[in-house]
């Protein structure tokens, strides 16, 4: 049995998903998100994300953290740069908490859980919900995406 934390990075909202169990049997899960306000400067927002991720990793002591890899859209290169900053503080939190981690691309996560690397967010959420036997939709989307990453870590780790 293992505990895996999935992290879906975002400056406005970073999703956190925690899954306990094995590849054959999921014993429990939890999820949420870390929100930051656009009213604060970038450094303050990154500090909040770092501090809260570090707190989760130190408290939960997972066997593995699975972090969504950085991606950039050709039409919005600045968002890719900002996402890189968020991932950087998350990787630092993993290092400081001595949590092993791996990075997985969005496309890979969708492929593993839905069989379609181009699946939309609703398809991914339904697949995550079905695998967790969750009674209601998992919201916000960042939390659902983080649970998807945690599930993949569980499948690969156990």
């Amino acid at each position: 049995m293992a505990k895996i934390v999935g992290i879906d990075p975002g400056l406005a909202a970073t999703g956190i998903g925690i899954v306990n169990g094995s590849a054959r049997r999921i014993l429990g899960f939890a999820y949420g998100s870390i929100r930051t306000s656009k009213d604060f400067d970038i450094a303050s927002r990154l500090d909040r994300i770092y501090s809260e991720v570090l707190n989760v990793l130190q408290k939960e002591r997972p066997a593995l953290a699975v972090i969504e890899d950085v991606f950039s859209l050709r039409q919005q290169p600045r968002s890719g740069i900002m996402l890189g900053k968020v991932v950087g503080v998350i990787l630092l939190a993993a290092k400081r908490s001595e949590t092993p981690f791996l990075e997985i691309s969005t496309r890979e996560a969708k492929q593993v859980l839905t069989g379609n690397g181009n699946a939309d967010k609703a398809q991914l959420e339904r697949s995550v919900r079905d695998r967790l036997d969750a009674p209601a939709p998992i919201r916000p989307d960042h939390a659902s995406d983080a649970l998807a990453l945690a599930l993949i870590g569980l499948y690969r780790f156990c």
Side-chain angles (χ1 to χ4, degrees), residues 5-8 13-18 29-35 52 56 138-147:
V5 171
I7 305 171
D8 179 41
T14 291
I16 303 286
I18 303 168
F29 65 95
Y31 59 91
S33 65
I34 301 165
R35 296 200 171 279
E52 292 205 24
V56 167
I138 299 166
R139 299 286 182 254
D141 288 339
H142 289 291
S144 175
D145 293 350
L147 281 169

Side-chain angles (χ1 to χ4, degrees), residues 107-129:
R107 181 183 266 295
E108 183 180 355
K110 291 176 179 181
Q111 181 67 42
V112 169
L113 292 176
T114 70
N116 176 4
N118 294 316
D120 63 25
K121 283 198 173 282
Q123 288 173 298
L124 184 59
E125 187 277 333
R126 276 192 308 276
S127 180
V128 168
R129 187 174 1 134

Side-chain angles (χ1 to χ4, degrees), residues 87-100:
V87 170
V89 299
I90 292 169
L91 293 175
L92 180 59
K95 176 67 176 165
R96 291 278 166 91
S97 66
E98 299 179 348
T99 303

